[in-house]
mmCIF file of all heavy atoms in Angstrom:
data_model
loop_
_atom_site.group_PDB
_atom_site.id
_atom_site.type_symbol
_atom_site.label_atom_id
_atom_site.label_comp_id
_atom_site.label_asym_id
_atom_site.label_seq_id
_atom_site.Cartn_x
_atom_site.Cartn_y
_atom_site.Cartn_z
ATOM 1 N N SER B 408 -0.968 -26.086 74.478
ATOM 2 C CA SER B 408 -0.560 -24.742 74.076
ATOM 3 C C SER B 408 0.022 -24.746 72.664
ATOM 4 O O SER B 408 0.121 -23.707 72.023
ATOM 5 C CB SER B 408 0.460 -24.187 75.064
ATOM 6 O OG SER B 408 1.628 -24.973 75.027
ATOM 7 N N ALA B 409 0.383 -25.940 72.173
ATOM 8 C CA ALA B 409 0.919 -26.029 70.816
ATOM 9 C C ALA B 409 -0.175 -26.290 69.780
ATOM 10 O O ALA B 409 0.101 -26.269 68.587
ATOM 11 C CB ALA B 409 1.976 -27.135 70.758
ATOM 12 N N VAL B 410 -1.399 -26.546 70.256
ATOM 13 C CA VAL B 410 -2.496 -26.773 69.314
ATOM 14 C C VAL B 410 -2.839 -25.448 68.632
ATOM 15 O O VAL B 410 -3.024 -24.446 69.310
ATOM 16 C CB VAL B 410 -3.729 -27.324 70.060
ATOM 17 C CG1 VAL B 410 -4.960 -27.275 69.178
ATOM 18 C CG2 VAL B 410 -3.481 -28.744 70.520
ATOM 19 N N PRO B 411 -2.893 -25.438 67.307
ATOM 20 C CA PRO B 411 -3.159 -24.178 66.606
ATOM 21 C C PRO B 411 -4.535 -23.622 66.966
ATOM 22 O O PRO B 411 -5.538 -24.310 66.820
ATOM 23 C CB PRO B 411 -3.080 -24.564 65.126
ATOM 24 C CG PRO B 411 -3.201 -26.047 65.100
ATOM 25 C CD PRO B 411 -2.673 -26.553 66.393
ATOM 26 N N ARG B 412 -4.545 -22.366 67.433
ATOM 27 C CA ARG B 412 -5.807 -21.748 67.861
ATOM 28 C C ARG B 412 -6.782 -21.603 66.706
ATOM 29 O O ARG B 412 -7.985 -21.734 66.871
ATOM 30 C CB ARG B 412 -5.559 -20.371 68.460
ATOM 31 C CG ARG B 412 -4.728 -20.352 69.710
ATOM 32 C CD ARG B 412 -5.477 -20.946 70.867
ATOM 33 N NE ARG B 412 -4.748 -22.118 71.335
ATOM 34 C CZ ARG B 412 -4.992 -22.753 72.465
ATOM 35 N NH1 ARG B 412 -5.947 -22.362 73.248
ATOM 36 N NH2 ARG B 412 -4.291 -23.814 72.810
ATOM 37 N N ASP B 413 -6.248 -21.307 65.501
ATOM 38 C CA ASP B 413 -7.171 -21.029 64.399
ATOM 39 C C ASP B 413 -7.967 -22.261 63.997
ATOM 40 O O ASP B 413 -9.096 -22.139 63.526
ATOM 41 C CB ASP B 413 -6.436 -20.411 63.198
ATOM 42 C CG ASP B 413 -5.028 -20.949 63.048
ATOM 43 O OD1 ASP B 413 -4.532 -21.538 64.026
ATOM 44 O OD2 ASP B 413 -4.436 -20.796 61.974
ATOM 45 N N ALA B 414 -7.379 -23.444 64.232
ATOM 46 C CA ALA B 414 -8.138 -24.666 63.929
ATOM 47 C C ALA B 414 -9.379 -24.731 64.816
ATOM 48 O O ALA B 414 -10.479 -25.037 64.356
ATOM 49 C CB ALA B 414 -7.267 -25.898 64.153
ATOM 50 N N LEU B 415 -9.196 -24.399 66.099
ATOM 51 C CA LEU B 415 -10.322 -24.433 67.028
ATOM 52 C C LEU B 415 -11.326 -23.341 66.674
ATOM 53 O O LEU B 415 -12.540 -23.576 66.643
ATOM 54 C CB LEU B 415 -9.831 -24.233 68.463
ATOM 55 C CG LEU B 415 -8.760 -25.203 68.965
ATOM 56 C CD1 LEU B 415 -8.417 -24.905 70.414
ATOM 57 C CD2 LEU B 415 -9.239 -26.639 68.820
ATOM 58 N N GLU B 416 -10.822 -22.147 66.374
ATOM 59 C CA GLU B 416 -11.701 -21.030 66.068
ATOM 60 C C GLU B 416 -12.517 -21.313 64.819
ATOM 61 O O GLU B 416 -13.715 -21.052 64.776
ATOM 62 C CB GLU B 416 -10.878 -19.743 65.884
ATOM 63 C CG GLU B 416 -10.559 -19.043 67.187
ATOM 64 C CD GLU B 416 -11.764 -18.964 68.123
ATOM 65 O OE1 GLU B 416 -12.825 -18.490 67.669
ATOM 66 O OE2 GLU B 416 -11.658 -19.395 69.283
ATOM 67 N N ALA B 417 -11.842 -21.881 63.818
ATOM 68 C CA ALA B 417 -12.532 -22.193 62.567
ATOM 69 C C ALA B 417 -13.702 -23.130 62.834
ATOM 70 O O ALA B 417 -14.806 -22.928 62.331
ATOM 71 C CB ALA B 417 -11.557 -22.826 61.579
ATOM 72 N N ALA B 418 -13.461 -24.121 63.680
ATOM 73 C CA ALA B 418 -14.523 -25.074 63.982
ATOM 74 C C ALA B 418 -15.661 -24.385 64.708
ATOM 75 O O ALA B 418 -16.834 -24.644 64.446
ATOM 76 C CB ALA B 418 -13.960 -26.217 64.819
ATOM 77 N N ARG B 419 -15.309 -23.469 65.633
ATOM 78 C CA ARG B 419 -16.353 -22.781 66.400
ATOM 79 C C ARG B 419 -17.195 -21.913 65.471
ATOM 80 O O ARG B 419 -18.418 -21.840 65.597
ATOM 81 C CB ARG B 419 -15.721 -21.927 67.493
ATOM 82 C CG ARG B 419 -15.165 -22.770 68.628
ATOM 83 C CD ARG B 419 -14.796 -21.931 69.833
ATOM 84 N NE ARG B 419 -14.211 -22.788 70.857
ATOM 85 C CZ ARG B 419 -12.950 -22.724 71.237
ATOM 86 N NH1 ARG B 419 -12.134 -21.843 70.708
ATOM 87 N NH2 ARG B 419 -12.475 -23.549 72.150
ATOM 88 N N ILE B 420 -16.530 -21.248 64.546
ATOM 89 C CA ILE B 420 -17.265 -20.388 63.615
ATOM 90 C C ILE B 420 -18.202 -21.225 62.765
ATOM 91 O O ILE B 420 -19.302 -20.824 62.439
ATOM 92 C CB ILE B 420 -16.269 -19.574 62.752
ATOM 93 C CG1 ILE B 420 -15.612 -18.529 63.649
ATOM 94 C CG2 ILE B 420 -16.968 -18.945 61.559
ATOM 95 C CD1 ILE B 420 -14.394 -17.877 63.051
ATOM 96 N N ASP B 421 -17.762 -22.448 62.422
ATOM 97 C CA ASP B 421 -18.608 -23.339 61.640
ATOM 98 C C ASP B 421 -19.765 -23.885 62.447
ATOM 99 O O ASP B 421 -20.516 -24.724 61.971
ATOM 100 C CB ASP B 421 -17.788 -24.507 61.085
ATOM 101 C CG ASP B 421 -16.904 -24.036 59.938
ATOM 102 O OD1 ASP B 421 -17.119 -22.905 59.475
ATOM 103 O OD2 ASP B 421 -16.022 -24.796 59.518
ATOM 104 N N GLY B 422 -19.874 -23.470 63.710
ATOM 105 C CA GLY B 422 -21.021 -23.880 64.505
ATOM 106 C C GLY B 422 -20.808 -25.112 65.350
ATOM 107 O O GLY B 422 -21.750 -25.672 65.894
#
Side-chain angles (χ1 to χ4, degrees):
Chain B
S408 64
V410 167
R412 297 290 118 168
D413 34 344
L415 304 182
E416 276 316 308
R419 287 192 183 113
I420 289 166
D421 286 348

